[in-house]
Amino acid sequence: MVLSPQDIHNKEFSTKLRGYNVDEVNDFLDQVIKDYQIVLQENKDLNSQLNEAKDKLSYFNDLKDSLNQSILVAQEAADKVKTNSKKEAEITSREAQKKADDILNAANEKADAVLEEASKRAKKLAIETDDLKKNTRVFRQRLQVMLESQLEVIKGSDWDRFVEEKPTTTYEDIEKVVGSLDNIGNPGVQSETKQSNGAADVEETPATVDDSNQTVVIYPDGRTQNE
């Protein structure tokens, strides 16, 4: 048990012969009491400061633990955010790649369809062009044959006899001549065409028919004129 200044002040000593001077001892004790009080006060102050320091240390230790815990939570949250961001970035990248692939595939399919359609049209056009060329060659050959046959007819002796100047020619004679000309021409050519061709050639020389001492002029288009 620690003595208090009051304990020291109330302390009584027994006296003996040839003992210490009581006044000197009391004065010394008074000085000791004063110094002891000072020491006790300083000790009290130091204890108070120590307690405050302990409280502060405990507070800072708790704060450190809280900060450490917050740092751990923040680190975990940051790691979680980083992981989620990485996953979202991967998902976004995959979706973007998928969309790009879909767009590219659609464009390729459309381009292939357009090319295929263009190829079909080109083939069809080539076939139609070939058919047109063939038909043109056939038409040219037929036209050439027809014209050559008509030219042969024109060069024939029947035309020479037809265009000879005679005093009179009956309508029956003209029909015979025209009919013979039709038979000589190309069978594939219609008679109307030949008759129109013959009419154009004989228009300058109308036929005449003598009926009852009256001359009748017969033109290829069917017109008649009495003279």
Side-chain angles (χ1 to χ4, degrees), residues 61-94:
N61 285 331
D62 292 340
L63 182 62
K64 182 186 70 174
D65 293 338
S66 178
L67 289 175
N68 289 333
Q69 186 67 25
S70 299
I71 290 172
L72 291 176
V73 173
Q75 184 65 36
E76 291 177 356
D79 293 339
K80 187 176 181 180
V81 170
K82 183 179 179 180
T83 302
N84 292 335
S85 299
K86 186 176 180 180
K87 289 180 180 179
E88 290 179 357
E90 291 177 353
I91 293 173
T92 303
S93 178
R94 286 196 297 269

Side-chain angles (χ1 to χ4, degrees), residues 102-114:
D102 293 340
I103 293 173
L104 183 60
N105 292 331
N108 289 332
E109 290 177 358
K110 187 174 182 180
D112 293 339
V114 171

